[in-house]
Amino acid sequence: MGAQQPSRGPAPHGHVTLTQVAERAGVSAQSVSNALNNPDRLAPATLERILATVAELGYEPNLSARALRNRSSRLIAFKVRPSRPDKASLLMDEFLYALNASAVAAGYHLILCHAEGDGGADEIKAYRDLLKKTSVDAFVLAETHRNDDRVAALRSWGVPFATFGRSWDGDDTLAWVDVDGRAGTRAATEHVAAQGHRRIGHLGWPPESEIGQERREGWLEACRARGLETDLQAAVPDTLEHGRQAAHRMLDAPRPATAVVCASDTLALGVLRALHERGMRPGAEVAVTGFDDSPTAALVSPGLTTLRQPIDVVGRQLIQAVENLIAGEPREPQHVLLQPELIVRGSSLPGPRTPAP
Amino acid sequence: MGAQQPSRGPAPHGHVTLTQVAERAGVSAQSVSNALNNPDRLAPATLERILATVAELGYEPNLSARALRNRSSRLIAFKVRPSRPDKASLLMDEFLYALNASAVAAGYHLILCHAEGDGGADEIKAYRDLLKKTSVDAFVLAETHRNDDRVAALRSWGVPFATFGRSWDGDDTLAWVDVDGRAGTRAATEHVAAQGHRRIGHLGWPPESEIGQERREGWLEACRARGLETDLQAAVPDTLEHGRQAAHRMLDAPRPATAVVCASDTLALGVLRALHERGMRPGAEVAVTGFDDSPTAALVSPGLTTLRQPIDVVGRQLIQAVENLIAGEPREPQHVLLQPELIVRGSSLPGPRTPAP
């Protein structure tokens, strides 16, 4: 456990050592190893006693860091998540490709994990199942959050890992790479303000999302710096339908929004859907910006102004981070905060063309 | 090599057996094995002679099927490809998730390959590099085409594999799963014809694409069955920009298209872009259909009518196919042709609402 993780009684993820098993069973460490790897070298009674102790203590030999380090598999594990039909943020597809390209360039391969649910417990179980079956050198985790159980689990097993997403607990011992959502949203807000918009709304996620909070802060900072009101804001789940409904509310307000800065491309596409339903033109009548530069952003008409994450660099830096950890380099864990790039398209510009009536 | 593959002199991918090395070097097969695994058991002169023969014949022990079968890794390899910014068809993201979910359910994990270029040679090199380093039970290939070198290579190495995409060479020995693009495009064409459209164009890929040919055939069949003209057709690369330009040409024709059936969502989004530029309303004025049901199709406004591929079933069937091959089941290789589902959205419907002028 890291310095930030207070001890909470017995380690929750079975961090039992071979030595502890040997002591409890009253045998040598070599005998425990034999029981697991060369059982025919032991007397049946001894074997039975050791295996009973292994079961009692819940010792899991494949989960120990030493075992992992001693037989390098050149495999790095990553959990893929399902793409959801109502979400534009298929950044993970691009991310996976970039991460794998960097892994292969460094002499590794990615091995994929699968977890049914969205929760940390399912993901931890998937990691555990993988480690029982396969030798893995390191893990890469995506979408960190506060009190991230996955971080605690991998730590308790002694497995090297790095995360796409900073430590929201202020844990300096975590190796992470992240993108500055606050700066990105500030840039998007400043961009629409520069087009003359004064009623700029923000469409973001509920406060539980640390990423969403950061993005909202960027909008707040930009508005305050220009003396603009910040009454037009909504916090909704990240779906097109929620974005659509929230946009209608902002456009029905007594002094309606003329620009909507969104925490994701998905929400921004919901705003575009609302404008389509009202027969209003994006850009020309209401400016809209997203976040992520998902493939859809370039494919809709007009194109969606958004923030591009430097996914290739994220992938490279994460592989570099786990390489350093695998090598046991004594330096400090890497913390890399990258800047997103504002990609301006028609959805936030007045546009030269007046459509036919 | 399969029955359909004529012999072309020496096998191109080094299918040399241990026995051939032993014969050439004038030693037993066990000695060759020792030279590679326990060199200290051999006299230096014998070792040197065997290693020289190994080099001469290009024998690669890790590529042999027996070696693979003897130490099951429970790993199935799959090459990920980059998502391109101008392409909507991010079906691969969904496919990868479905394939991995089925693999994990069957006790396997996916290991990812990476190849820089788009060509078969780069991909074959990536497979070869992977096999040299890692024990892999089977491969899954995507996007088969005529004279697919990857198929020949994996066969010559004796590695079990199945393909997402049928054999375009009529090779019955290949295990494949595919989706019926001809039936899908026929359904899309019949759908717009049922809305009253008589000038139905087809926007597809160049004739080198066997998948594109199948989809074009479906449009041709539906038009001929209804006595509709088939003069409005274009074959262009699969980008939004090419779709946009081809759509403008079809809409500038003396008797312009009132409906455009496309071979991909990417091309259909190009048609939507052209309509946007002309101030024309999709659905209400020109019906548009795509193919793939990419995430973007549900997110644009109006939504894009398209064909959904049963990706979950594809993933399950492919894993089943490689499981059968790994188990060495004597039954015929699986050939599974699945039906896509027409998803009707606003882009092909007249629509109830007249936008404000």
Side-chain angles (χ1 to χ4, degrees), chain B residues 125-319:
Chain B
K125 182 175 178 305
Y127 291 167
R128 204 183 170 90
D129 289 348
L130 178 65
L131 284 171
K132 281 182 189 169
K133 281 195 286 196
T134 312
S135 167
V136 169
D137 285 348
F139 281 73
V140 169
L141 269 56
E143 300 178 292
T144 46
H145 50 80
R146 219 175 284 281
N147 299 318
D148 202 320
D149 280 345
R150 303 170 304 168
V151 168
L154 288 171
R155 281 222 174 111
S156 76
W157 302 335
V159 185
F161 67 99
T163 62
F164 180 12
R166 70 198 77 174
S167 167
W168 297 102
D169 306 311
D171 176 355
D172 285 340
T173 63
L174 188 72
W176 56 258
V177 181
D178 206 349
V179 175
D180 192 341
R182 180 191 294 233
T185 314
R186 200 165 52 220
T189 309
E190 283 162 1
H191 159 69
V192 295
Q195 311 293 310
H197 291 282
R198 291 295 169 264
R199 295 291 291 158
I200 304 173
H202 182 262
L203 191 39
W205 299 324
E208 306 87 77
S209 163
E210 296 87 357
I211 300 170
Q213 293 278 46
E214 276 289 305
R215 295 183 185 178
R216 176 171 288 111
E217 281 297 322
W219 166 76
L220 278 169
E221 286 173 9
C223 286
R224 284 177 189 145
R226 292 181 170 249
L228 302 177
E229 292 169 290
T230 56
D231 57 307
L232 293 166
Q233 49 178 308
V236 298
D238 192 42
T239 74
L240 181 125
E241 181 54 23
H242 283 99
R244 184 186 78 83
Q245 292 175 9
H248 277 306
R249 287 193 296 274
M250 284 189 190
L251 297 165
D252 286 335
R255 290 181 298 130
T258 67
V260 186
V261 170
C262 301
S264 74
D265 285 357
T266 304
L267 291 176
L269 289 157
V271 180
L272 296 182
R273 176 69 54 90
L275 294 177
H276 176 76
E277 288 168 350
R278 299 168 89 97
M280 294 177 83
R281 283 167 297 144
E285 294 176 69
V286 176
V288 183
T289 70
F291 202 109
D292 271 352
D293 197 27
S294 62
T296 303
L299 295 166
V300 291
S301 299
L304 177 64
T305 294
T306 185
L307 276 308
R308 178 179 296 162
Q309 303 202 34
I311 284 299
D312 286 352
V313 185
V314 173
R316 264 202 311 280
Q317 294 280 357
L318 281 169
I319 295 299

Side-chain angles (χ1 to χ4, degrees), chain A residues 73-80 96 100 103 108-114 127 130 133-140, chain B residues 73-76 100 108-112:
Chain A
S73 61
R74 311 301 288 178
L75 290 176
I76 296 170
F78 178 73
K79 193 206 81 151
V80 286
L96 189 65
N100 191 48
Y108 290 85
H109 278 92
L110 286 194
I111 181 169
L112 300 187
C113 298
H114 170 82
Y127 291 167
L130 178 65
K133 280 195 287 195
T134 312
S135 166
V136 168
D137 285 347
F139 281 73
V140 169
Chain B
S73 61
R74 311 301 288 176
L75 290 176
I76 295 171
N100 190 49
Y108 291 85
H109 278 92
L110 287 193
I111 180 169
L112 300 187

